[in-house]
Amino acid sequence: MSLQVEKLEKNMAKLTIEVPAEEFEKAIEQAYQKAKGKITLPGFRKGKAPRKMIEKMYGAGVFYEDAANIVIPKAYDEALKECEETIVSRPEIDVTQIEAGKPFIFTAEIALKPEVTLGQYKGVEVPKPVIEVTEEEIQAEVDKERDNNSRTIDVEDRGVEKGDMIKLDFDGSVDGIPFQGGKSEDYPLTVGSGSFIPGFEDQLVGAKIGEETEVKVTFPEDYHAEELKGKAAVFKCTVKEIKVKELPEADDEFAKDVSEFDTMDEYKADIKKNLTEKKEAAAKREKENAAVEKAVENASMEIPEAMVMEQVRRMSDDFTRRIESQGITLEQYMQFTGMDADKLAEQMKPEALKRIQNSLVLEAVAKAEDIQISDERLDEEIAKMAESYKMEADKLKELMGDYEKDQMKSDLAIQAAVELLADAAVEVEEKAE
């Protein structure tokens, strides 16, 4: 195999890879051996037709495509080992010469890792965080805990009110004709939650158990079901059950029940402490993000489109795994949202570009500052991972290969670069508009 590298514009390159004729001939023979069992020629038993006869019958190139598929992956992998460039995208393959008895030649257009020119990255200005916990926030946490400890009671002596939890039968129609999904029995609904289209839940207020209520609504123009967009509908509704939450009093007894404290004042003081710690952690992350953002703004680099699309592909794969873990397929998600693969990719591109820029700049900072991760520091991180996996650190370390350890060191160096930028940043108070 021989390799030629041609640099193109915008950090793209074309690899021209030549495979010797003898090697391509072996691939053709391999393709023939794999396919011959499916081929029948007059005068020959199935699978016994000679290669030359098949090529004469179907053309000299009958096995070329399969042979190319055998040769290309191996040749490309060898080219990657020989190439001194850092490749950051999948290849766009184009076959330029394919003929028995001649070298097999193909090109692979790929994106190269961009060079980064750092600007100012130390001492950049970032907004000064305001860390304040209000009484309203403390009370909201108390109310959340009251809600968690609430009990539900049946209501029979009044109509539906906002906040009630009801069971509902409904039967919807458009122009007197029922539509798919427009009918249900014992549907659980919290009135005022906004689960139904605008106006539906409001018209249930006052409805009493067992009485039929007619609800008239118009489907939004952007409704996910095409046949219902903008259509006026009528729902015949019957409330079957009304329940309300009964919340415990926010007193010392409640504090004792839900915490380790004896009084409400002590409980609230602990809530304030926890909220303050959360806000401090959030402020630290915001400062780090702002410092990195400024460092990226001050740097220069040219990101190839193919590199962005490779990042989009990874993000899309991650997104698919996440929604599938929730029991939803990607196809179902597309149906629910009216999205398609192209729209999803376009939506992800800005975040993909940002991730690439952040990563490249932080790598450049780590290199400029000669940030090195010692084996001892790596062992500390492995010990933390082992603890979370409930494993022995030495056992986890044995299971990890050199690539995983190098990747961990790289990630730790990136995090150290983030901390360096944040520590060196100058906090400035934001001016009131």
Side-chain angles (χ1 to χ4, degrees), residues 143-155:
D143 290 342
K144 190 187 298 182
E145 195 61 37
R146 290 174 67 207
D147 189 69
N148 290 339
N149 287 271
S150 64
R151 67 189 184 101
T152 57
I153 58 173
D154 290 308
V155 175

Side-chain angles (χ1 to χ4, degrees), residues 29 57 90 124 145 167 201 241 267 379 384 404:
E29 179 64 22
M57 173 71 72
R90 292 185 175 188
V124 297
E145 195 61 37
K167 278 188 180 177
E201 294 169 37
E241 177 182 278
Y267 177 46
D379 288 344
K384 287 181 188 175
E404 287 81 8

Side-chain angles (χ1 to χ4, degrees), residues 111-395:
L112 302 179
K113 186 175 182 178
E115 290 289 330
V116 176
T117 303
L118 291 172
Q120 181 189 2
Y121 60 87
K122 286 182 178 178
V124 297
E125 292 186 348
V126 297
K128 185 176 182 178
V130 178
I131 301 171
E132 180 187 356
V133 176
T134 66
E135 282 301 319
E136 288 77 10
E137 289 170 322
I138 296 171
Q139 188 59 48
E141 290 297 310
V142 172
D143 290 342
K144 190 187 298 182
E145 195 61 37
R146 290 174 67 207
D147 189 69
N148 290 339
N149 287 271
S150 64
R151 67 189 184 101
T152 57
I153 58 173
D154 290 308
V155 175
E156 297 179 353
D157 58 352
R158 63 165 174 79
V160 171
E161 294 179 0
K162 285 278 183 74
D164 287 350
M165 297 171 291
I166 67 172
K167 278 188 180 177
L168 180 70
D169 290 354
F170 59 84
D171 191 357
S173 60
V174 172
D175 296 329
I177 301 171
F179 57 88
Q180 188 174 1
K183 183 175 182 178
S184 184
E185 293 183 357
D186 292 335
Y187 188 92
L189 173 66
T190 299
V191 179
S193 64
S195 304
F196 280 37
I197 58 177
F200 187 100
E201 294 169 37
D202 291 339
Q203 295 178 59
L204 293 175
V205 172
K208 293 183 178 179
I209 293 174
E211 294 181 0
E212 186 177 285
T213 301
E214 195 172 84
V215 172
K216 297 179 180 179
V217 291
T218 301
F219 285 97
E221 292 293 341
D222 59 354
Y223 194 67
H224 62 85
E226 188 69 35
E227 67 278 8
L228 296 176
K229 289 181 177 180
K231 294 290 179 68
V234 176
F235 288 84
K236 292 180 179 178
C237 302
T238 304
V239 176
K240 306 279 283 296
E241 177 182 278
I242 302 174
K243 287 182 179 289
V244 295
K245 284 183 180 179
E246 186 174 71
L247 305 181
E249 290 294 324
D251 53 19
D252 291 346
E253 287 302 315
F254 173 72
K256 288 177 185 178
D257 288 341
V258 300
S259 74
E260 60 190 61
F261 304 102
D262 293 328
T263 68
M264 199 63 181
D265 287 343
E266 290 173 309
Y267 177 46
K268 284 186 173 182
D270 187 62
I271 290 175
K272 183 174 184 178
K273 174 176 168 290
N274 292 334
L275 288 176
T276 301
E277 289 173 355
K278 285 181 182 178
K279 288 197 173 190
E280 286 172 346
K284 181 176 181 290
R285 290 192 299 271
E286 287 171 12
K287 183 180 180 181
E288 289 174 346
N289 292 339
V292 172
E293 188 176 329
K294 282 293 178 72
V296 169
E297 284 177 11
N298 295 337
S300 59
M301 69 204 96
E302 190 171 28
I303 311 293
E305 179 73 6
M307 186 180 187
V308 176
M309 295 314 297
E310 180 67 16
Q311 180 66 36
V312 166
R313 183 189 64 78
R314 291 196 201 103
M315 290 168 61
S316 181
D317 289 346
D318 288 344
F319 177 75
T320 300
R321 282 191 289 272
R322 284 201 309 275
I323 63 170
E324 285 179 348
S325 70
Q326 298 169 14
I328 304 171
T329 66
L330 185 62
E331 290 72 21
Q332 288 171 326
Y333 172 81
M334 298 293 193
Q335 288 175 353
F336 296 155
T337 60
M339 192 75 70
D340 59 35
D342 289 340
K343 285 181 184 176
L344 187 63
E346 199 61 32
Q347 200 175 76
M348 288 179 171
K349 278 177 74 173
E351 177 62 21
L353 177 60
K354 182 180 178 180
R355 290 187 188 185
I356 292 168
Q357 290 172 327
N358 288 357
S359 179
L360 290 174
V361 167
L362 289 168
E363 282 180 17
V365 169
K367 184 177 180 181
E369 294 291 329
D370 194 27
I371 295 174
Q372 302 290 333
I373 303 300
S374 66
D375 290 339
E376 291 75 19
R377 176 70 184 88
L378 178 64
D379 288 344
E380 288 175 14
E381 199 63 24
I382 291 173
K384 287 181 188 175
M385 286 179 60
E387 187 177 348
S388 66
Y389 292 141
K390 295 185 173 15
M391 291 178 64
E392 293 180 8
D394 290 342
K395 188 68 176 175

